[in-house]
Amino acid sequence: MWISRIELTNFKSYLHQIFEFPEPVDGRNIVLVGGMNGYGKTTILEALYLCLYGKDALAHLARAGLKSDDSRGYPTFLERAFNGEAKRDGRDTMTVRVVIHRSRTKAVDVSRKWFFRTNGSWSADEEAIVRNVVRDIPDAPRRDGKAGFHLADLLDEIFVPAHVAPFFFFDGEEVKKLADQSRVEQVKQGLEGLLGVVLLRALAERLKNFESSKRAEVTTVDEQKLAQVLTALTANEANLATVREEAQAFEKETTQLRAEREALIERITSAGGGGGDIATVKDLVEEREQLRNKRKECLRKIEEVLAGRLPFHFVSPQLMALFKEQLVGEIRLLEHEAEKNTLTPRKARFEEAFLDDSGPAILPALTSSQLESIKERIERAWSSLFYPPPDGCAAEITHDYLQGNARSEALSFLESIPLGQEEVQELLGEQASLNQRIDELGRKISRLEGIDRDGTLSALKADLDRVQLRLDALSDDSRGSDRKLVSLEAVVASQRSEYERERRKLDASSPVRAQIQQSEQVRNVIDEVIPALFPLKVKQLASAMTSVYKTLAHKDLVAKIDIKNDGTTLILGKTGKEIAVDRSAGENQIFATALIAGLAKVSGVRAPMVVDTPLGRLDSKHRQNILGFWTGDKSRQVILLSQDEEIDHLFYKNIKASVGKTYLLEHVDVGDGIGRTTARADSYFGRGR
């Protein structure tokens, strides 16, 4: 993987400049860009960050050791970067393009463009366009942030994730200064970047701000009432379960007693209690049982009339008509709302397709306020399709305790409630007739069972009477259980509806309450996770740093670098004891270089390295060691941005066999205090510079 092209247009002192870099082959992995201070070396590194990472680049520039305007931020940085000649000539765009080759046949072309007003101020508009290139043929462009495509995701996958970029693109002199201040802090920052902690901290801060803004929307609601309703509902649901178990027990015992009764009747018949031309005891008992079942069904119908239909006849016809009208209106309103909810996702897709459509072009381009106006008109037009609701819809949902098809079922029930005097009289007459017939059968059974030779029939009859009494009692208990079951089911349904209604009120009064709680939970997890992350990588980093440090240092004193979980770094000698290494500029830069190289190695990313001021004020021995390190990995592209006192003509000759491309920056004054930088390919500082 290598950077094959960096193109700058109207960027800082570059009016238009193309840098082309070859693939690192045949041991030539170094690209040298030479220039005096102020000629535009650092600009190349800044352009790389801005093109790839956009508005997030300022944080990366600062972490990489580059200076950025933290007080005024991204707009100020861009306005200062806009080329003076371009501004003077009335141009309105600034562009940086970076081409990254993943292999000889596959590349990714990233171009980011910023737009400016005539006075040179940034218009707050920019676009990043990405193309995949296969065998020098680009495919269709993709825009960052459009149609689900995000450049950051692509860079995470194929190049350098934003949070580890400072391990690969940095200012050597500024990174060395960080080591001057605190090695512990530098190691912790490096580990945090490697582990993505910087992303977790940013997420935690955004969640904290989100919670703060949303809490202002939360209103006070009666949560105590909701808890009371839930307590009552839970108790009644438990009672309902108990009554259902009781009804099942009654049914089970009834089945057992009926079997016992059948056996007793068989024994009475065989003992002579059922002889003669008249019906046997068994037939009479079976007939009486059938009549008793009919009487039970008759009583159920009477209870249904008294408890279900009769009360509605005491309601005035006007109130009943209003109730039916409201139910019909609510059904229509709910159907209307259901249709609206079904179509709502299509509205979002329509708006997205409308706003993302690339043609025909709208000229001049819409401003952000005009775009917001269009969105508002789309929203209003959409709302007009569903408001006001059609004729016949209820103004509001009054009977919100009715769920699903309950309203239609209620209407059907109301149609079935008409009750006449004849129907009641028929039921009462049927009950009286059944009672009379049951009594007659009881007397017949007693007469048939009157013959008893040895007392056997009397005993069997006593058992039969006992069983029958228990069956009659169970029948009464079962009817009472059924009534209790129906009553409790109605109460539970009502309380469940009330609970759901109160819970919806709570949700409606604070729709973000759950989101705030989830946000707090995520932040708590982040706080717990961050300290636990460091032990995952410290040993690997310490091993990688040791290898690099021993390669770079010209004193054969260090045997091992040990890193504690808190970022404390110990430099150990051959005996395993900590040794005091001086804090000279050379030793600090060796430490900083070893740290960055170690972090890059542990990250597992095989990306190019771009280093501004790679050698600083190092002595010749340290320079030789660091240059040897840069040229050591022949497959990794290293772009060094050097001034004439770092990699001078002599050092250039020493590493020339590893250099694949050189540029020499030249700078001229074009008037009005504006300078122009151009780059001369295949040139470098001459002897004596």
Side-chain angles (χ1 to χ4, degrees), residues 193-207:
L194 178 64
L195 294 165
V197 171
V198 63
L199 300 179
L200 291 176
R201 293 195 191 282
L203 173 60
E205 185 63 27
R206 291 179 64 185
L207 289 174

Side-chain angles (χ1 to χ4, degrees), residues 518-531:
Q518 291 172 353
S519 176
E520 290 175 339
Q521 291 172 356
V522 172
R523 282 200 300 109
N524 291 335
V525 170
I526 290 174
D527 291 340
E528 294 175 3
V529 164
I530 288 177

Side-chain angles (χ1 to χ4, degrees), residues 268-280:
I268 290 173
T269 303
S270 63
D277 296 331
I278 60 174
T280 65

